[in-house]
Amino acid sequence: MPELPEVETVRKGLVSLVKGKTIAKVDVYWPRIIEFPEVEIFQQQLVGEKIETIDRRGKYLIFQFTHYEMVSHLRMEGKYEYFAAPTPLDKHSHVRFIFTDGTELVYRDVRKFGRMALLKKGAAKEYKGLVQLGPEPTETEFKLADFKRQLAKSSTMIKPLLLNQKIVAGLGNIYVDEVLWLAKIHPEQPANTLNGQAVQRLREAIIEVIAKAKEAGGTTIRTYLNALGEAGHFQQELHVYGQTDKPCSRCQTPIIKIKVAQRGTHLCPHCQKLKKVK
């Protein structure tokens, strides 16, 4: 599943490929991908629209057109592919944007879970998936005081809390495992039992891991590629995710895999001890 670093890499790739292009036609082969408006209106409104740029918020892409904004969520396996000339499509190609210069951008999605919503200019921030997102995991936007206050209010285990996107945006299964390892926090530790130092370590770990992953172009697990057809290489720096039975790079204890809130979870049982709550 593409997480924030992968989506950011897709965004950069798409900007380099399609920024400034004008849409001549839109073909939709799987109508349920289009969340809003109706498919025919979606197709009509995009004709003649120019892609001014592409933004990102959490794991969402936001295409900025001349008069509209299109929110695109890749979900599990959605991806965009760019073609310099008309190309035969396969059964997993669901939306095709044909540009006036003859090039094409195709949205492919094996599971068909991805969604697109076309909104009026400036309305993307009110889209239901974006309204409740927490801050971006950056030094300037992700404030320690706010983070401490939110964790203190919740007795939820820290891993599922970080996954819900409301505390901080963009963290998925891979990066939460990596962040908790770096911060030496057990994924089942209740959020409100973390002391001030642990919360500070956790915030710093979130910012560090996401920044490094973005720089590396994301993590390639199985066949995920970015918009340029390139694989990310952050998987070469993973300490716990997918490292079951391998020695922890910090203490040499074998990494284990457990289930936390129905998600496969990797940790070091020595570095990440579950602290008892009095």
Side-chain angles (χ1 to χ4, degrees):
M1 177 187 292
E3 298 185 23
L4 186 156
E6 290 76 41
V7 177
E8 174 62 15
T9 303
V10 169
R11 185 197 70 78
K12 289 178 180 177
L14 287 172
V15 166
S16 72
L17 292 167
V18 301
K19 181 179 178 180
K21 292 184 181 285
T22 300
I23 294 176
K25 184 184 179 186
V26 180
D27 294 326
V28 178
Y29 306 104
W30 184 256
R32 290 179 63 185
I33 296 285
I34 311 305
E35 197 169 38
F36 181 86
E38 294 179 3
V39 171
E40 293 78 10
I41 297 174
F42 178 88
Q43 293 171 295
Q44 292 167 7
Q45 290 180 331
L46 281 176
V47 173
E49 289 291 301
K50 180 179 178 181
I51 298 178
E52 297 179 338
T53 192
I54 299 165
D55 298 326
R56 179 195 55 75
R57 180 74 172 94
K59 302 178 189 179
Y60 293 83
L61 292 169
I62 305 171
F63 287 71
Q64 297 289 348
F65 294 108
T66 314
H67 302 99
Y68 299 96
E69 295 177 332
M70 186 181 79
V71 178
S72 172
H73 195 203
L74 303 176
R75 298 283 176 88
M76 294 289 287
E77 295 190 29
K79 60 185 70 175
Y80 284 96
E81 293 187 348
Y82 173 81
F83 299 100
T87 303
L89 304 180
D90 65 13
K91 66 179 181 179
H92 301 305
S93 299
H94 306 309
V95 183
R96 175 167 61 176
F97 303 89
I98 302 170
F99 300 111
T100 53
D101 63 0
T103 61
E104 300 180 350
L105 185 66
V106 177
Y107 176 76
R108 301 181 71 251
D109 194 335
V110 173
R111 301 199 183 188
K112 301 178 180 176
F113 289 162
R115 293 292 181 265
M116 298 177 190
L118 189 64
L119 308 161
K120 290 182 179 179
K121 201 76 170 174
K125 62 181 180 294
E126 299 167 9
Y127 176 72
K128 62 182 181 180
L130 300 180
V131 169
Q132 295 184 328
L133 281 184
E136 292 288 309
T138 63
E139 193 69 48
T140 53
E141 296 190 36
F142 187 25
K143 305 296 185 184
L144 178 59
D146 293 339
F147 191 40
K148 282 182 177 178
R149 185 166 54 253
Q150 289 172 308
L151 295 191
K153 293 190 298 185
S154 177
S155 59
T156 302
M157 294 183 293
I158 190 62
K159 176 167 181 174
L161 190 64
L162 292 177
L163 286 173
N164 76 10
Q165 309 301 302
K166 295 179 182 178
I167 302 293
V168 59
L171 292 178
N173 204 45
I174 296 172
Y175 296 111
V176 169
D177 282 3
E178 291 298 305
V179 159
L180 292 173
W181 175 84
L182 185 59
K184 298 183 179 180
I185 295 171
H186 194 283
E188 294 179 319
Q189 193 71 41
N192 60 1
T193 65
L194 296 172
N195 62 30
Q197 287 184 329
V199 175
Q200 185 169 342
R201 285 201 315 272
L202 181 55
R203 173 186 174 272
E204 291 170 356
I206 290 169
I207 294 169
E208 179 182 335
V209 168
I210 294 299
K212 285 183 176 179
K214 284 165 67 176
E215 187 176 341
T219 301
T220 299
I221 303 296
R222 288 177 289 186
T223 59
Y224 186 77
L225 302 175
N226 67 26
L228 299 172
E230 301 165 339
H233 52 89
F234 190 72
Q235 68 274 10
Q236 297 166 8
E237 300 181 39
L238 294 175
H239 294 280
V240 286
Y241 186 88
Q243 308 300 307
T244 308
D245 296 329
K246 294 181 181 178
C248 170
S249 59
R250 196 161 45 203
C251 72
Q252 307 308 305
T253 302
I255 299 300
I256 63 171
K257 183 178 181 180
I258 63 173
K259 276 281 182 81
V260 177
Q262 307 304 311
R263 304 296 295 271
T265 300
H266 306 77
L267 70 143
C268 171
H270 176 74
C271 294
Q272 298 168 262
K273 286 185 167 52
L274 182 60
K275 295 187 170 110
K276 293 183 179 180
V277 184
K278 293 181 181 179

